[in-house]
Amino acid sequence: MAHMPSEVECPRCHHTFDSGEVRPVDPGVVRWLTEELTWSGQEPTERMYASCPYSAGDTPVSRQRFIQDLAHRGVPETRDADAICFLVRK
């Protein structure tokens, strides 16, 4: 009988990841957030997502994973009255 990998849920952002992963957050997203960007306030999610793969130089992550990883690192996504998504960084 094959051993099924167990999933772990982050208590902060509820991102689930395989317990065998070293980190729940994609290293390319972390590098993009900590080394490539110096912004605060709110920025459109789509523009930030489009810039991440090119900036980090890694294989792009899915938009959902990008949002979850940033939420885990303290950068949540919000929507304005027009339903436009923004990333908020303090």
Side-chain angles (χ1 to χ4, degrees):
M1 183 171 179
H3 173 57
M4 297 294 292
S6 61
E7 288 196 346
V8 176
E9 182 175 311
C10 172
R12 183 171 179 185
C13 68
H14 304 292
H15 169 75
T16 57
F17 57 98
D18 185 293
S19 62
E21 287 185 56
V22 175
R23 302 175 66 153
V25 178
D26 182 83
V29 174
V30 172
R31 188 168 42 258
W32 173 82
L33 181 64
T34 59
E35 296 176 3
E36 301 291 336
L37 292 181
T38 56
W39 60 275
S40 62
Q42 69 178 27
E43 293 289 336
T45 300
E46 295 309 317
R47 184 163 54 112
M48 294 287 100
Y49 177 63
S51 74
C52 180
Y54 306 109
S55 177
D58 295 322
T59 304
V61 296
S62 69
R63 185 186 185 286
Q64 179 181 3
R65 175 70 190 261
F66 176 74
I67 299 304
Q68 290 172 338
D69 286 358
L70 289 179
H72 183 77
R73 299 291 294 190
V75 181
E77 181 181 61
T78 61
R79 292 178 189 260
D80 68 9
D82 297 323
I84 297 172
C85 298
F86 290 92
L87 294 171
V88 181
R89 187 176 189 187
K90 296 179 181 178

